Amino acid sequence: MKTIRIPAPGCTETVETKKPELKPGHVLLKIGYAGFCGSDLNTFRGLNPLVTYPVIPGHEIGAVIDAVADDVPAYLKTGVNATVNPYTNCGVCPACRNRRPNACEYNQTLGVQRDGAMSEYLLVPWEKVIADEAISIRDLALVEPMSVGFHAVDRAGVTDVDTVMTLGCGMVGLGAVIRASVRGAKVIAVDVDDKKTATARRLGARYAINTRKENLHERVSEITGGRGADVVIEAAGRPETYLASVDEAAFTGRIVCIGYAREKIPFDTPYFVKKELNILGSRNAMPQDFKAVTEYMKRGICPVDELISAIYRPEEAQTALEKWAANPGDVFRILIRF
């Protein structure tokens, strides 16, 4: 079967690999679309410390169930569209024992710590399959990144009385915008790109701030009457956005951190105490977050076409990643069509 592999930084190749054989407790998926995410881009750029080369990238999946083992539940049927929860969980670490398997200490995400989904076929345990014939194969490839943003909003316990500021309006940040808006919160979307903030407005953000053109603190003060945001979701992974999250959070506010910053960040820690902030990490997503995303997508109100920046064939993976690396701000999601 045709497979995309990253053998070394800056290089991709399309190779032939053996089609997986069905085994007990598993489902064989025929991949229709697989998305490149930020971790895949960092793997290509040589900036992903979790990857060992060579690696097959990809964990954002739109597929059709091709075959099921005899011991798989009857609701998983051949021919049904599906996506995948791409994380593993050990069941015994503190996170798993606390019923938060998304943060498993020994998690291995497809395409990161283990080979991923950029192949014509993928074999996965049936428990990881999310089947929904009401959503197209293409659109199912967007579920996983949106679910990460949904999870961050859940971590913050957002309600309709909150003002929520999202720092970063990539796919994960937009997921947070959607989830917070659906819950009735007043959402402020922040980015350095007008196209991304405009999309955030269409997805439910009431306000948009381009920090290249406006002063963030002044605008947030104006919008909130000087109080600051009840919830700040950091979805950019930049030192300046991490610092801004502390500065712009209201007293007794909640900060949820999704992005990985590669640099060390010096914080003005007295604000942690004086504001009595709740500072929370948010990693991956829970099954209920995937369910929430699929239910949202079935409402038919998501401008999906705006979120797909380009679709390439497997042989064009090198071109796709080179273009993204050259202009990272121009991309929401790149899909590979198998």
Side-chain angles (χ1 to χ4, degrees):
M1 64 178 181
K2 191 176 295 183
T3 297
I4 296 171
R5 190 164 59 193
I6 300 177
C11 179
T12 67
E13 57 187 7
T14 304
V15 298
E16 286 294 322
T17 57
K18 186 179 179 181
K19 180 180 175 181
E21 294 183 2
L22 189 64
K23 61 182 182 180
H26 283 66
V27 171
L28 182 66
L29 299 175
K30 181 174 176 57
I31 303 297
Y33 293 86
F36 277 130
C37 77
S39 63
D40 299 318
L41 178 62
N42 282 335
T43 298
F44 178 74
R45 297 166 69 191
L47 301 175
N48 191 338
L50 301 177
V51 163
T52 300
Y53 299 94
V55 65
I56 300 169
H59 54 255
E60 301 174 359
I61 298 164
V64 173
I65 296 176
D66 188 73
V68 296
D70 292 339
D71 57 347
V72 167
Y75 74 87
L76 294 173
K77 301 176 182 178
T78 59
V80 175
N81 295 352
T83 188
V84 173
N85 180 330
Y87 325 120
T88 63
N89 51 284
C90 69
V92 297
C93 75
C96 289
R97 294 177 67 165
N98 287 331
R99 298 181 181 179
R100 287 160 66 180
N102 59 296
C104 175
E105 183 177 356
Y106 305 104
N107 167 65
Q108 292 189 323
T109 299
L110 284 171
V112 185
Q113 295 96 340
R114 58 185 172 136
D115 281 338
M118 290 277 179
S119 295
E120 291 183 273
Y121 291 89
L122 181 71
L123 187 68
V124 292
W126 72 262
E127 296 92 342
K128 298 297 183 180
V129 178
I130 301 160
D132 202 316
E133 50 193 345
I135 304 175
S136 73
I137 299 170
R138 185 198 69 169
D139 295 354
L140 281 166
L142 302 178
V143 169
E144 191 275 341
M146 290 176 64
S147 73
V148 177
F150 271 48
H151 181 65
V153 171
D154 200 53
R155 285 281 285 148
V158 170
T159 71
D160 57 354
V161 301
D162 288 318
T163 295
V164 178
M165 181 172 70
T166 299
L167 294 166
C169 294
M171 276 297 297
V172 171
L174 290 178
V177 167
I178 292 166
R179 185 61 162 161
S181 299
V182 167
R183 289 191 175 190
K186 180 167 66 177
V187 179
I188 306 168
V190 180
D191 203 281
V192 296
D193 183 89
D194 284 335
K195 180 181 177 181
K196 290 185 175 180
T197 55
T199 300
R201 289 290 298 269
R202 284 190 284 278
L203 289 169
R206 193 176 304 183
Y207 303 97
I209 302 172
N210 184 329
T211 54
R212 285 181 174 165
K213 299 178 178 180
E214 301 178 275
N215 181 284
L216 178 63
H217 182 71
E218 290 177 1
R219 284 287 286 128
V220 172
S221 294
E222 176 187 336
I223 292 166
T224 64
R227 294 186 300 275
D230 302 299
V231 175
V232 180
I233 296 176
E234 199 294 317
R238 297 288 305 159
E240 56 268 32
T241 50
Y242 265 94
L243 294 172
S245 67
V246 176
D247 292 340
E248 305 308 329
F251 275 68
T252 69
R254 293 99 78 195
I255 297 171
V256 183
C257 306
I258 310 174
Y260 286 89
R262 290 189 295 272
E263 305 92 336
K264 292 184 178 180
I265 304 172
F267 283 102
D268 183 9
T269 55
Y271 261 156
F272 292 13
V273 178
K274 290 164 64 177
K275 289 187 174 183
E276 199 174 71
L277 298 172
N278 283 1
I279 301 176
L280 305 167
S282 183
R283 184 184 181 194
N284 299 332
M286 292 281 282
Q288 59 263 34
D289 302 310
F290 282 88
K291 178 66 174 175
V293 173
T294 58
E295 291 302 311
Y296 165 74
M297 294 190 76
K298 285 189 287 190
R299 292 169 59 184
I301 60 174
C302 182
V304 177
D305 290 342
E306 292 185 34
L307 305 181
I308 300 172
S309 303
I311 298 175
Y312 291 90
R313 292 179 289 108
E315 295 81 5
E316 299 173 307
Q318 179 78 22
T319 299
L321 288 170
E322 285 178 350
K323 287 185 175 180
W324 191 7
N327 296 286
D330 291 342
V331 171
F332 283 117
R333 266 306 173 269
I334 290 173
L335 301 183
I336 298 294
R337 179 172 55 214
F338 283 89

